Amino acid sequence: LPRGSPQAVPIRPAPEALDRYHARLAAGGLEEVEARSLAARFCENDCRVPVPPRRRLICQRLLRPVALFEVASVVVWALDEYWQFTILTLLSIVGFELNAAITRH
């Protein structure tokens, strides 16, 4: 480090804080009164993530640039009369995107 620049110091919890943490773990967690007191002080530790409808997820997946490029390529192959390859690829694209959207849901 250049002269005069502050050095990075790792932040470690104090040993007594670790002892209290380990004691709480051994006891099975917080007491009910302490848990209610902390919840009142800091609010609930809760994060709700809205899940979009399945149809919207599928549309989003199919309208991504990669999926649109793959469909455009399938159209070009169809124009060259590669029907078997075209149908197989189109089914694969739709199946993959449906699976990804349903898994995400």
Side-chain angles (χ1 to χ4, degrees):
L1 293 171
R3 181 172 248 170
S5 66
Q7 289 185 341
V9 177
I11 298 174
R12 295 188 183 119
E16 59 273 2
L18 286 176
D19 291 340
R20 281 185 303 200
Y21 174 74
H22 289 296
R24 282 187 180 160
L25 281 180
L30 297 175
E31 297 292 325
E32 185 66 31
V33 174
E34 189 178 8
R36 272 194 249 123
S37 166
L38 290 173
R41 182 176 175 191
F42 296 110
C43 299
E44 293 295 321
N45 187 10
D46 191 10
C47 180
R48 300 196 186 272
V49 178
V51 178
R54 190 173 284 157
R55 181 177 292 174
R56 182 171 177 211
L57 283 175
I58 291 170
C59 288
Q60 285 177 343
R61 295 289 304 185
L62 289 173
L63 293 177
R64 293 176 327 141
V66 172
L68 291 175
F69 174 76
E70 290 174 342
V71 171
S73 299
V74 167
V75 169
V76 170
W77 291 324
L79 293 174
D80 278 341
E81 298 180 7
Y82 291 113
W83 291 106
Q84 294 166 341
F85 185 70
T86 300
I87 293 170
L88 177 67
T89 305
L90 191 58
L91 289 175
S92 297
I93 293 168
V94 171
F96 176 75
E97 297 300 335
L98 284 173
N99 185 27
I102 290 170
T103 302
R104 187 175 169 206
H105 190 333

